[in-house]
Amino acid sequence: AVNAEKPMTTRERLAMHVSNPSCASCHNLIDPIGSGLEGFDNIGKYREKVKLRIQLQRDSVTNQPRPQQDIELPLDTKGFIHGIANSNFSTPAELGNILAEDPTCQRCVVKQIFRYAVGRHEKEADQPQLDAQSGSGPAAGWCRHTVGRLRNRDSPGQSAGNFGFGLVRHCR
């Protein structure tokens, strides 16, 4: 438990999950990315330190509340993406660049936009269209933002035909 004698950052608290095999299977995947984003609080405000407010127990003799104690700890905002080589990052922009340049991520983004555009999961017949769109990602220069522009929206269950989204370039 976090207390005044042993204050811990979120990274340090989450490291305890890795010792439990049932927790580690997920935490080994998600914690490194989250640690890289810890420079932002729960509403997205930038911070260089984490501020902990510890309410001390009541005095054992008088039963009077003890004053709260505020502690600031430095943040380690280094992260990485499990399964992507050389994916160390320390800013959201670096994370975005790594994801945008990764072919697996590009295929996933195309697939998710397809699912949104046509309102269903892809079928085997859709694969050539998905492959063509995925292949255009790096060549087209899309990086931080991939925006789906929906021109033709099929009804769920119909053939995708030309699901008609363009990968919009966002150049540096």
Side-chain angles (χ1 to χ4, degrees):
V2 177
N3 58 46
E5 290 78 38
K6 189 178 178 188
M8 293 187 288
T9 64
T10 302
R11 178 189 293 262
E12 293 167 334
R13 289 193 322 270
L14 289 174
M16 294 185 291
H17 289 97
V18 180
S19 62
N20 181 339
S22 64
C23 297
S25 60
C26 292
H27 279 275
N28 282 335
L29 294 173
I30 60 175
D31 289 353
I33 296 173
S35 293
L37 299 172
E38 198 169 348
F40 298 90
D41 68 11
N42 57 346
I43 60 169
K45 183 178 172 189
Y46 179 75
R47 62 186 179 173
E48 292 183 3
K49 295 182 178 187
V50 63
K51 295 177 184 176
L52 302 176
R53 176 164 287 159
I54 299 178
Q55 182 65 48
L56 301 173
Q57 300 294 323
R58 291 181 171 268
D59 185 278
S60 60
V61 176
T62 65
N63 200 28
Q64 294 298 313
R66 292 184 181 172
Q68 63 188 19
Q69 185 176 0
D70 292 336
I71 300 171
E72 288 189 354
L73 299 174
L75 291 172
D76 176 5
T77 60
K78 295 178 189 80
F80 67 93
I81 304 166
H82 186 77
I84 298 179
N86 302 316
S87 63
N88 296 331
F89 68 93
S90 58
T91 67
E94 291 173 357
L95 171 62
N97 288 332
I98 291 166
L99 292 173
E101 294 170 9
D102 180 65
T104 303
C105 183
Q106 293 167 3
R107 285 190 300 274
C108 181
V109 168
V110 167
K111 182 172 40 171
Q112 297 307 320
I113 292 173
F114 171 86
R115 289 174 177 179
Y116 175 76
V118 300
R120 64 170 174 80
H121 284 267
E122 64 282 356
K123 298 177 182 174
E124 194 171 322
D126 301 320
Q127 201 58 50
Q129 180 95 26
L130 291 169
D131 292 342
Q133 292 291 334
S134 295
S136 67
W142 68 281
C143 47
R144 286 188 208 96
H145 300 294
T146 302
V147 179
R149 199 173 42 195
L150 308 176
R151 292 192 295 259
N152 303 322
R153 184 176 172 107
D154 292 340
S155 298
Q158 291 182 344
S159 169
N162 176 10
F163 63 92
F165 66 84
L167 295 177
V168 178
R169 295 179 191 204
H170 180 45
C171 301
R172 292 180 179 91

